[in-house]
Amino acid sequence: MAETKREIERKYAADDSGLPDLTGVAGVAAVLDQGVAELDATYYDTPDLRLAAASITLRRRTGGSDAGWHLKLPVSPGVRDEIRAPLSGTLPPALAALVRSRVRDGEPVPVVRLRSARDVRHLVDADGALLAEVSLDTVRAERLSGGSGTAQWTEIEVELADGGDPAFLDRVDKRLRKAGVRPAKSPSKLARALAETDPGPLDAGAGPGSAGKESSGTEGPGGAGSGKGGGGKKGSSGGHVTAGAYVLAYLREQRDAIVALDPAVRQEVPDAVHSMRVATRRTRSAFRSYAKVLDRAVTDPVGAELKWLAGELGVDRDREVLTAHLTAALDDLPATLVAGPVHDRLHSWARERHGGSRRHLIGVLDSRRYLNLLDALDALLADPPLRRAAAAKPAKVAAKAVRKDVRKLSVLVEQALWLPPGQERDVALHEARKRAKRTRYAAEAGEPALGAPARKLVKSVKSVQKVLGEHQDSVMARTTLGELAAVAHAAGESAFTYGVLYGREEHRAALSEAALPERWEKVRRTTAV
């Protein structure tokens, strides 16, 4: 069984002088010597170092108090989630699943062996509670594949105790700097070992699923990948960034997000499913909105698979949103309007749906179809099907694409507003909602090039999308309430409360429809892109 631990630490270069005296750090009552531990760790990666390129480490370690398999996923600078599994001869399936989106069909192989003598100190407060663990590590590195060579160095590592205040590390940092100790240049032991045991630099774009340096077929992506793109910026070749490079940089961001979110979805990290689903939608939207840049004969098949993935992700996500809404609506009812075991039936429905959809989603992420989709995205970005407009300036192409999407959205909204309330109008409003998302994503992609007008449009379209989303949520809630009421009636229970909730959802839909014209008018006033 794998367990996850949030690791917050800092690393420092060390010399022969050893650990400075840390008893003067504010809050530290004692520095306790824990002795020296002999650690032997073998780090695994693909031959082209895909995990290392993404700042992910996978190791099998013996010695110390936490021997076993460790997978470290980056969270932010100095912060990683360490997923641990018991010591075994082969990579545990639970950890293998968490790196599958990067490894694909590859087999992680031993790349580096690190043997360390770890001299450990515990910093404790007046009550004896652990504040941080400080170690002086003497490291010997040996390259096992992808190169040859050895390296040796000494470093200081300060790891915050579980649940500790990160500000404490600042106080330790201040004391170490005062003693002449400086932060390590490498973010991890593995990164330093790879750099010092092989003459070739680590290619941060190596392998599928990385924030790669795929060929764009035109000038470098420049600012689009960093949120600063647009006309006038220069690419790596010294020329102006083209629309092709600009769109490809945006697509790489979405591809990287899908790959990086895979382990978070598997671990049920809050909002991970939604974020991954958004990345798939943004990618598909860019294929369609920027069809003048990328040939749809190539992108449409990939877009169809992205639609499939978004749908599979939506099974669990939509259930979560609907369950939360119905639970809140039920809790908001006076007790006199609640007849029968409505809470129990709703919770049972949610648990039943969750269990089945959860297993199904993991099956999707383990499927050959999903891995083929990731490979297809990598291939498309490595050899993009650029069209003539790819050579134009980003601002010109983005403005044209956004205006086209706004016109199509206008037709759908106007058609929906002319229809009388009912099922036909519900369907029309749902289609307008989907188009609003695409329009918003197109404007977001063009934002670095278009500036303030695009930002204003994103804001106003998002407002329209929100009210249309509330309307569609009401439609889905009414469908579910009807199903629950039928089951309750068949079981001899009162269906009264479901009817009350149904009526409230109808009122919610009416309010959304009434708010749409005003919000749509704001879009009409902010389309000067």
Side-chain angles (χ1 to χ4, degrees):
M1 178 68 71
E3 60 172 326
T4 302
K5 177 182 181 296
R6 176 60 56 90
E7 180 183 84
I8 303 176
E9 64 180 18
R10 299 186 188 182
K11 295 180 181 294
Y12 300 85
D15 53 28
D16 295 336
S17 60
L19 278 173
D21 180 14
L22 297 174
T23 55
V25 176
V28 175
V31 178
L32 307 180
D33 190 342
Q34 302 297 304
V36 178
E38 297 294 334
L39 309 177
D40 191 342
T42 299
Y43 287 77
Y44 288 73
D45 206 334
T46 57
D48 53 2
L49 302 178
R50 300 174 202 171
L51 300 183
S55 300
I56 294 172
T57 60
L58 174 63
R59 72 187 180 199
R60 180 185 185 274
R61 190 168 76 182
T62 59
S65 60
D66 62 347
W69 286 89
H70 305 152
L71 173 64
K72 298 190 179 187
L73 303 173
V75 176
S76 60
V79 182
R80 295 185 290 183
D81 278 341
E82 182 178 274
I83 299 95
R84 300 175 177 176
L87 193 64
S88 62
T90 58
L91 177 61
L95 299 192
L98 294 177
V99 297
R100 187 163 292 128
S101 66
R102 296 189 185 278
V103 172
R104 313 284 169 81
D105 291 324
E107 183 72 24
V109 297
V111 292
V112 167
R113 183 183 183 186
L114 297 182
R115 283 170 285 183
S116 306
R118 170 163 288 184
D119 189 1
V120 181
R121 303 285 192 279
H122 281 181
L123 308 185
V124 299
D125 62 17
D127 296 324
L130 180 65
L131 297 171
E133 179 178 283
V134 182
S135 63
L136 181 66
D137 297 342
T138 302
V139 185
R140 291 169 291 159
E142 176 188 2
R143 191 66 171 258
L144 301 177
S145 66
S148 61
T150 61
Q152 184 168 331
W153 69 89
T154 303
E155 68 180 37
I156 295 172
E157 185 176 291
V158 184
E159 182 176 346
L160 189 67
D162 293 347
D165 182 1
F168 177 72
L169 293 184
D170 293 333
R171 298 199 290 269
V172 176
D173 179 83
K174 184 177 180 180
R175 178 68 185 87
L176 290 173
R177 288 175 182 267
K178 189 174 182 180
V181 177
R182 293 294 177 262
K185 294 181 179 180
S186 295
S188 68
K189 290 182 176 68
L190 176 61
R192 181 166 182 173
L194 290 172
E196 296 189 10
T197 60
D198 187 80
L202 175 63
D203 182 2
S210 63
K213 299 178 181 177
E214 296 98 336
S215 170
S216 66
T218 182
E219 289 88 342
S226 62
K228 297 180 181 178
K233 297 292 182 182
K234 291 188 175 182
S236 58
S237 68
H240 287 286
V241 173
T242 63
Y246 183 93
V247 172
L248 288 172
Y250 177 79
L251 290 172
R252 288 190 190 102
E253 289 180 357
Q254 308 315 315
R255 184 276 312 272
D256 293 346
I258 293 171
V259 172
L261 284 163
D262 179 292
V265 170
R266 293 174 184 270
Q267 294 177 290
E268 296 192 82
V269 174
D271 208 44
V273 169
H274 173 65
S275 297
M276 189 177 191
R277 194 181 186 191
V278 168
T280 65
R281 285 173 167 170
R282 283 177 170 157
T283 304
R284 185 164 171 257
S285 174
F287 286 163
R288 300 173 71 180
S289 294
Y290 293 93
K292 295 292 185 181
V293 174
L294 297 172
D295 188 352
R296 286 192 60 173
V298 177
T299 62
D300 274 359
V302 181
E305 290 301 281
L306 287 166
K307 182 179 181 180
W308 160 76
L309 178 58
E312 298 291 358
L313 291 167
V315 172
D316 214 34
R317 170 65 181 177
D318 291 343
R319 176 205 56 79
E320 290 176 357
V321 173
L322 183 56
T323 299
H325 171 70
L326 290 178
T327 300
L330 182 57
D331 291 341
D332 191 48
L333 286 181
T336 54
L337 296 181
V338 180
V342 185
H343 281 94
D344 291 342
R345 187 162 295 283
L346 176 58
H347 293 157
S348 296
W349 172 83
R351 285 195 301 271
E352 178 183 336
R353 291 294 182 92
H354 176 67
S357 60
R358 181 69 196 162
R359 288 189 297 272
H360 178 74
L361 179 55
I362 296 301
V364 167
L365 298 183
D366 287 337
S367 70
R368 167 51 46 195
R369 184 175 182 179
Y370 169 67
L371 296 180
N372 286 344
L373 168 58
L374 298 183
D375 288 342
L377 284 171
D378 291 336
L380 188 149
L381 291 169
D383 186 18
L386 296 174
R387 300 184 66 193
R388 180 176 298 179
K393 292 182 179 180
K396 180 179 179 180
V397 173
K400 189 174 182 179
V402 172
R403 285 196 295 266
K404 183 177 180 180
D405 277 339
V406 170
R407 287 196 299 270
K408 291 184 176 181
L409 174 60
S410 177
V411 171
L412 291 176
V413 171
E414 297 294 345
Q415 287 178 345
L417 290 175
W418 275 104
L419 290 170
Q423 184 177 4
E424 188 177 357
R425 190 183 208 193
D426 290 344
V427 172
L429 289 171
H430 182 45
E431 291 302 314
R433 176 189 177 226
K434 290 190 290 185
R435 175 62 65 170
K437 284 185 179 181
R438 176 173 160 182
T439 304
R440 172 190 161 196
Y441 293 151
E444 285 177 344
E447 205 173 301
L450 299 174
R455 286 193 293 274
K456 291 179 181 179
L457 180 60
V458 168
K459 184 177 180 180
S460 59
V461 172
K462 189 175 181 179
S463 178
V464 168
Q465 180 187 327
K466 181 179 179 181
V467 74
L468 289 172
E470 290 172 349
H471 183 275
Q472 178 61 17
D473 288 347
S474 170
V475 172
M476 298 303 297
R478 279 178 277 161
T479 299
T480 300
L481 287 168
E483 294 172 355
L484 290 172
V487 173
H489 179 74
E493 300 166 6
S494 172
F496 171 76
T497 301
Y498 301 103
V500 173
L501 292 173
Y502 192 100
R504 290 195 170 197
E505 290 300 328
E506 285 185 320
H507 180 64
R508 179 189 180 199
L511 291 176
S512 298
E513 292 180 25
L516 179 58
E518 181 180 352
R519 298 197 184 190
W520 174 242
E521 184 60 30
K522 290 183 180 180
V523 174
R524 292 166 60 88
R525 294 198 301 264
T526 57
T527 54
V529 296

